[in-house]
Amino acid sequence: MKSIINFSLNNKFAIWILTIIVTAAGLFAGLSMKQETIPNISIPYLNVIAIYPGAAPEGVLQDVTLPLEQRLRNIDDVKMITSTSMENASSVAIEFDYGTDLDQATAAVREALNEVTLPEDAQKPTISKFSMNSFPVISLSASNNQAKDLEELTSIIEKQVKPELEKLEGVASVSISGQYVKEVQLKFDEAKMAQLGLTQDTVQGIVQGSSLRVPLGLYNLEDSEKAVVVDGNIIELDDLKNLAIPVILNAGADSGIPTVKLSEIANIQVIGQAESISRTNGAESIGISIVKDNDANTVDVVNAVKDSIIDLEKDYNGLDLITLLDQGEPIEDSVNTMLSKAVFGALFAVVIILIFLRNIRSTIISIISIPLSLLAALLILWRLDITLNMMTLGAMTVAIGRVIDDSIVVIENIYRRLADSGEKLRGRELIREATAEMFLPIMSSTIVTIAVFLPLAFVSGMVGELFLPFALTMVFALLASLIIAITIVPMLAHTLFKKGISSKRITHKEELGKLAKGYQKILNWTLSHKIITFGSAVLLLVGSLLLYPLIGTSFMPEQKDKFIMVTYSPEPGTQIAAVEKVALEAEKLILSQPSVEKMQYSIGGANPMGGASSSNSGLFYIEYNTDTENFEDVQKTLIEDLQQEVPVGEWTSLDMTGGMLSSGLSVSVFGDRLEDIQPVSDQILAFVEEDTTYFEKAKSSLSTSYDQYTIVANQEKLSSLGLTAGQIAMKISPIRERPVLTEIEVDDKTYKVYIEADSSEYQTINEIANEKIMSPLGFEVAIKDVAKVEKGHSPNSITRTDGKMVVSVTANIKTADVGKASTSLQDKIDAIELPDGVEVKFGGSTEQINDTFKQLGIAMLAAIAVVYFVLVVTFGGGLAPFAILFSLPFTVIGALVGLLLANETLNVSSLMGALMLIGIVVTNAIVLIDRVIHKEREGLSTREALLEAGATRLRPILMTALATIGALVPLVTGLEDSAGIISRGLGITVIGGLISSTLLTLVIVPIVYEFLMKFRKPKVQD
């Protein structure tokens, strides 16, 4: 070790060059790193969606979902299959084991789907992956007050705006919704065709035979091979309209065959309509969503799109492109927060060190470790292709207070010995010895802190993937800080203290001596009254544990974003025209709110969060002013007002994390038959609705259902008339898919020509019952004469998990204490007598809290075990490390009191704080006990060694604790916005725990150490 210190003292210029290289490389790495909101978690889910037009949920289940489930279940590594059968669509979510290669899984699913036989009307199933990168990084809304209509706006967007955005570097795809789409419709004039003796099938055959383009291959013509193609020359709309259709096919050869133009027997026209309805700030608009490449930088892509918007608005008069969703801005804000926080933390550290050392030079030496450690960490993260995200930025924010500790301990020891008039060593020797003296405690404390974060790397699932970048950032920054403390710090100390320190500076030693002497007196008294002191500390600990029920638990801290996404789900069977009316009423209400800045909604578009959605549901995006106060209340009031204004259907706020970080209740009832499940789910729903203290907006997945008429065939009557139930179904079955006649070109675009048929529109069930079918016996029979109609209900959607039917009861949790809310419900559910085969499971926040807390709890226990092992190796025995571990339980006192006073819950953020505390707190105890052992070896008794070490080490312990607290002050005071994992809860836990454990470490650890030393065996000399 001394050789490394000697190298840095003898090669100062080389160390300077190395410092400059690391600084420059770190800055380059930081500027080059990709910036994301959260790490790109590879979630092992695939979603298979199959569209079955016009089918009710039960039909979708039988004809589409069950065949898909049966085949997909046999794929390797499948953990769970959950299916939802709804109107027109089946959605099958496949969860794989963590670590499964999703590309291989996708290929296996695709192969399995090719083997499934689905009804003719069902569309080919599509497979989609769930990834953070599959969400749009920015979404825009386009409108143009100069454009005549939506058709003109669509033309500008499709021909100009979309290609421009697709050209931008890092853009993977640009999708448009709400645009004007055209198609060619052909409707036959049945009466005219009957007069001319034509049938629809005859005309269809002639049109399809005439509009062919068939390559016949190569012919030997004119001494060379020539290609021959037969072209029906039906290319444009007029060609189709003028196509001659023969009327009398058996006419004589002389007179020729009379013909009629297709336009005379059919109405052919180009029809245009909006693909889905989209409006922004009260005007018709088109939605544009931009998804980035996997390797692209979110901030760069978003900024490139914003720059392109400015140019496009200049080029097209009246074009207004409004930015709605923007993932780049919060990331830039996080980076700025981290930078300002680094400055704030460094300034606080400067103040602390100045107060204790009253020396500018030693202050400069110690704070240099902050930027250098973070830049070194950035360099390694960049090389490992880890992005700059909420977790890595949060780790750096938190590391600021910790990376300075090693340097403080070393420079304080150097400065103390320089200021000691009795010190025999001088200059280089003094600095080398003072640094070497502190190497063991700072190395132990750094390794211990790293050991704390090591178990996070082995936490499985989403939680593990989320926390791995945090753990790695902390590890790299701490290793860098250790290297800086034994190389750059002694080098700078030797440079800046070449002439020692002036005699004036030694005067403050006496003043600090007063603090040290005061502490010595307290320590001496407590060592003489061990039972009273230790008993009081234990009482405080037990008392603080009793606060736990008052604090409560939740999964994630509340987000601070000032926007809300609201979904409108109409009642089953509602027509899209009715939904449009509802949306216009809601638009008026939302735009009349005082703080609303932007508002966009779409109806009938795709669900932006992935998965299948009802074809006539609405999605509203509302952005508020950034200074809107009590945003949670504003959000809640808006939903209530919308529900009051439009009571038909359901309004809910959308979870932007896709349900990963939800804070709602979800209870699932599993069983084989709906008849067994429904009574249990109804009972649970009643419990949730009764408990208005904790829950609101309770609903069951069976709450919404269709009125269903079942036409039950009388087989005896049908058989006697030569009929079957299939003939009834064929008679009244609506046309699902319109037949395509041919393709033509309109304005250089190819369109399919659809045949429009008169589908039977039934107004009442009686009209269906009175419908007649032709019997083979030659007469018509009314359906009501051979079947009876039974009225019932059909669920809005049918969900199954691993082959069992599931009914979910969901609700919003009104309190921040999710744990208490679910416990109160759990007790009631446990009292229900469940039928055979029926099972109840908690999901949502409850499941996430249990799983995450369990994993982080195991990580903490593993961390403590690793810490003890490292300490045993460092100190060469088991008793001293055991005394050091006694500093840990007392962190609980300050942490829980802090959370209670700050009105914060125990969540993932505060648990991360608790994990960090293990490393930080043990560091202080190591610094103290290391000095005690040194003094014992010099011949002092245990009591004398404790009193001497306590007085000597008081200053560095207080300095490191206060510097760490100071670096976290911005998180707690709200001087800076922060949300997500690295939030106020983490700051409060660390600060509270550090205050209580530092004060008690200085008293409890010496008591335990002196007590344990009575059992120490005398060392036998070899």
Side-chain angles (χ1 to χ4, degrees), residues 825-839:
L825 181 63
Q826 178 81 59
D827 297 339
K828 293 176 186 173
I829 291 173
D830 289 343
I832 300 174
E833 279 190 33
L834 300 176
D836 291 342
V838 173
E839 188 185 2

Side-chain angles (χ1 to χ4, degrees), residues 711 732 762 764-772 781-789:
I711 297 166
I732 58 177
Y762 298 111
T764 64
I765 188 65
N766 288 334
E767 286 183 21
I768 295 176
N770 290 325
E771 187 70 75
K772 293 191 166 78
V781 180
I783 289 173
K784 65 182 179 184
D785 296 335
V786 288
K788 64 175 179 177
V789 176

